[in-house]
Amino acid sequence: MLLRSQNNPVITREMIPAISPHLVDVSSVFNPGAVKIDDTIHLLLRVQNRGRETFTMHSTSKDGINFTIEHKSALFSNLDQCSDTIYHIYDPRITMLDSTIYIIFAIDTDKGCRLGLFTADDFSVLDFHGFISDNDSRNGVLFPEKIRDQYVLLERPNNASLENGPTSGDSIILSSSLDLVHWIQQKVLCSGRPHYWDERIGSGPPPVKTRDGWLHIYHGIATHFASSNIYQAGVMLLDLDDPSIVKARSRYNILEPRELYELTGQVPNVVFPSGMIVMDVDSDGFASPDSDVYVYYGAADTTVGLATTTINELVQDCYADRYYDHQ
């Protein structure tokens, strides 16, 4: 299971630079996207001000624990090509593919939540390339390489409402594209398991390539408690050549809300994994089995937490009970 950093939460609202007039004494910072470039870890932070307006801020770290946050919010370019009214752009998932930094954001519009594709050079300006989902969808993550000459995406259509909560979904869908613009939903990858810890599900960070398969951390929501929905993290293993095949899926969660900063906040009882850094990758592009893994997550929609593990441990978590029905 994931081990929390002793420095948690690693980023709090008090660390966000005061930038007048919008970002003064902000309310929260959470759900970061993450990528490692050379020897630097980059996080894109979801920041909410006291008006509950959403901003994206860039932060960097050499050790993955102590972060420097830029004294400005990121700018979004080309949004004028969108005819819909945009309210919030949030929950970035970052993928490095063919030396290009791709970022998929959830975008709240007057027509529902859509997935938006962006690219970045230095994270100060994020270039919008259009919507890649026609219907209400969230938790879009792009694979870091083409498979069978196609781009591959995981997404979670929003087709159900949580009690006293947002619209959610209970299935992760695998989609493919030839051009990163036009996408076709190919298959339901996996669904929630009623009455257990992951009744509703959605992708966490983008999948990581290992010798055992594509390793994918996801979030699950237990909805059957009278007082609260409980957000937790699990892991699954997808076939390398055909990622629509789930080889194994953790029976148990690998992280659940236990600490005070996870139990109390804007949304209580939440750990929401959104960024994953693999420290060691071999010459063929596979994550090294003994590599340390840093997982960044939103805690109670209020702060950023860090939990660590290894590739081997995550693979073993997928097979914790090989006789359990992973579908």
Side-chain angles (χ1 to χ4, degrees):
M1 291 182 286
L2 299 181
L3 297 177
R4 293 170 177 82
S5 169
Q6 294 181 349
N7 299 88
N8 270 358
V10 292
I11 300 179
T12 66
R13 68 177 188 84
E14 291 85 1
M15 298 168 62
I16 302 300
I19 305 172
S20 182
H22 304 297
L23 294 171
V24 176
D25 188 26
V26 301
S27 297
S28 58
V29 51
F30 56 109
N31 296 3
V35 67
K36 186 172 183 283
I37 303 175
D38 297 327
D39 62 347
T40 302
I41 292 175
H42 299 258
L43 298 185
L44 283 181
L45 307 170
R46 174 180 176 177
V47 178
Q48 285 186 337
N49 67 10
R50 297 173 68 88
R52 294 304 186 268
E53 297 170 305
T54 306
F55 294 82
T56 298
M57 302 189 73
H58 177 222
S59 61
T60 57
S61 174
K62 295 295 186 180
D63 62 8
I65 298 172
N66 300 287
F67 283 88
T68 299
I69 303 171
E70 289 191 7
H71 285 245
K72 60 182 179 180
S73 60
L75 298 176
F76 294 96
S77 69
N78 302 323
L79 290 180
D80 54 354
Q81 66 177 280
C82 174
S83 60
D84 299 339
T85 300
I86 293 176
Y87 298 101
H88 300 283
I89 304 175
Y90 59 98
D91 288 0
R93 307 296 212 282
I94 307 174
T95 297
M96 181 72 78
L97 195 163
D98 294 335
S99 300
T100 298
I101 300 169
Y102 291 98
I103 310 160
I104 296 179
F105 280 89
I107 303 179
D108 283 345
T109 75
D110 54 351
K111 297 179 182 177
C113 184
R114 309 276 295 280
L115 296 177
L117 180 68
F118 294 76
T119 56
D121 291 325
D122 62 1
F123 295 105
S124 60
V125 178
L126 308 178
D127 298 311
F128 180 56
H129 295 275
F131 291 125
I132 58 174
S133 62
D134 293 327
N135 300 315
D136 201 304
S137 191
R138 195 170 296 176
N139 301 316
V141 296
L142 183 66
F143 280 66
E145 65 180 55
K146 287 184 177 180
I147 301 174
R148 297 177 181 175
D149 296 323
Q150 295 191 77
Y151 298 101
V152 183
L153 173 79
L154 301 180
E155 60 178 304
R156 201 280 314 282
N158 294 323
N159 51 22
S161 296
L162 296 175
E163 185 176 355
N164 301 319
T167 303
S168 184
D170 56 8
S171 294
I172 295 175
I173 306 294
L174 185 139
S175 300
S176 63
S177 172
L178 295 174
D179 58 6
L180 283 172
V181 177
H182 304 93
W183 291 86
I184 298 175
Q185 292 186 351
Q186 298 288 357
K187 182 181 177 182
V188 174
L189 183 71
C190 57
S191 298
R193 297 181 282 209
H195 307 292
Y196 294 98
W197 71 268
D198 53 356
E199 294 176 291
R200 305 282 188 204
I201 60 174
S203 287
V208 169
K209 190 178 183 180
T210 76
R211 298 284 179 182
D212 295 283
W214 290 102
L215 193 63
H216 184 47
I217 290 177
Y218 69 103
H219 70 265
I221 311 169
T223 66
H224 56 278
F225 293 90
S227 60
S228 178
N229 296 310
I230 304 175
Y231 283 70
Q232 300 145 86
V235 63
M236 66 180 71
L237 200 60
L238 312 179
D239 186 80
L240 275 178
D241 298 320
D242 184 358
S244 69
I245 298 173
V246 180
K247 295 177 61 177
R249 177 176 168 186
S250 59
R251 175 174 184 173
Y252 308 106
N253 71 51
I254 58 174
L255 188 70
E256 65 181 13
R258 291 188 179 181
E259 300 299 324
L260 187 61
Y261 56 86
E262 300 162 347
L263 296 169
T264 61
Q266 285 195 123
V267 183
N269 301 314
V270 171
V271 295
F272 189 87
S274 51
M276 179 177 176
I277 300 296
V278 177
M279 293 302 179
D280 297 307
V281 178
D282 68 22
S283 58
D284 295 322
F286 292 93
S288 302
D290 295 328
S291 174
D292 290 327
V293 177
Y294 283 21
V295 177
Y296 296 94
Y297 64 96
D301 279 17
T302 303
T303 62
V304 174
L306 166 64
T308 61
T309 183
T310 67
I311 291 295
N312 264 335
E313 289 170 329
L314 286 172
V315 171
Q316 291 171 10
D317 285 334
C318 292
Y319 291 103
D321 186 342
R322 65 175 63 248
Y323 299 107
Y324 190 72
D325 181 10
H326 64 254
Q327 295 296 332

